[in-house]
Amino acid sequence: KIQSLTFTDVILTPEMGISFIQNLSKSNVEVLAFDNSCFIKSCIEQFSLTPDSFKFINSFILKNEEDVQNNIHIFSKLVISSSLKSLTITNCNLDIADFFELISLLSEHIQLMYIDLSKNRCSDKFKGSYIIPKTLTKLVLNKIHWEGQSYLTLLTKQTYNS
């Protein structure tokens, strides 16, 4: 059985995205990856309507996507409605300050063990003192564009034992 599915440089139309999301829960796929494949434009609306379609996904990877920042709220549905243990969102122009805010609000409801937010940015609104999920064992923040005092705030105000 296929447990991992990766789409790289694939142009998904909205129709393809709808069909894919509707049928995902019928598969054995546990690892799902989109790299420069228009996931946000093609699948996000359908996903927001049927988040249970991701219930068997334990690793979700999103790379080189546009418009992630404007749809960050959708990731709350993803992490709550799935058995997600690993989340990678890299090179998507995501403000990780917003991501940490979201994760902090959901920390009691998620089981993430691994988060990679590399090649994104962190705005000066990063305040530190976010609640980190107790299950998180690895956080990867490579090649982040740190704005203002955000890096210093991460080093001095953020704690990592929830």
Side-chain angles (χ1 to χ4, degrees):
K1 69 180 184 177
I2 295 177
Q3 295 177 321
S4 180
L5 190 55
T6 301
F7 296 96
T8 302
D9 296 324
V10 176
I11 304 300
L12 296 172
T13 65
E15 295 79 21
M16 292 163 65
I18 288 169
S19 180
F20 176 72
I21 297 295
Q22 288 174 340
N23 290 290
L24 184 60
S25 64
K26 299 172 191 167
S27 74
N28 294 317
V29 173
E30 296 175 3
V31 178
L32 185 59
F34 294 91
D35 184 351
N36 194 34
S37 294
C38 303
F39 174 78
I40 297 295
K41 290 180 183 175
S42 306
C43 300
I44 206 72
E45 186 175 329
Q46 180 64 30
F47 168 71
S48 69
L49 298 172
T50 57
D52 282 348
S53 56
F54 275 64
K55 64 184 171 189
F56 299 117
I57 302 296
N58 63 41
S59 180
F60 184 71
I61 301 163
L62 194 60
K63 297 179 179 180
N64 304 305
E65 278 285 331
E66 297 177 9
D67 215 23
V68 171
Q69 184 66 36
N70 293 331
N71 291 284
I72 193 167
H73 62 284
I74 298 296
F75 289 98
S76 63
K77 291 182 180 181
L78 173 63
V79 296
I80 289 175
S81 65
S82 68
S83 56
L84 206 62
K85 304 280 188 251
S86 173
L87 179 62
T88 299
I89 304 174
T90 58
N91 201 28
C92 293
N93 197 29
L94 174 67
D95 183 350
I96 66 171
D98 292 333
F99 183 84
F100 273 91
E101 184 73 35
L102 177 71
I103 291 298
S104 186
L105 294 172
L106 303 172
S107 66
E108 293 182 23
H109 306 286
I110 58 178
Q111 299 299 312
L112 284 170
M113 298 173 68
Y114 174 90
I115 299 173
D116 183 351
L117 301 172
S118 297
K119 297 182 182 177
N120 284 296
R121 62 187 176 85
C122 186
S123 71
D124 204 20
K125 65 183 174 182
F126 185 87
K127 62 184 180 202
S129 66
Y130 297 103
I131 299 170
I132 303 294
K134 291 178 182 179
T135 54
L136 190 66
T137 58
K138 186 165 185 175
L139 176 63
V140 181
L141 300 171
N142 293 330
K143 297 184 180 179
I144 299 291
H145 174 76
W146 302 98
E147 299 172 5
Q149 297 293 312
S150 60
Y151 184 65
L152 183 60
T153 302
L154 175 84
L155 295 176
T156 60
K157 294 186 179 177
Q158 182 60 51
T159 59
Y160 300 98
N161 49 349
S162 299

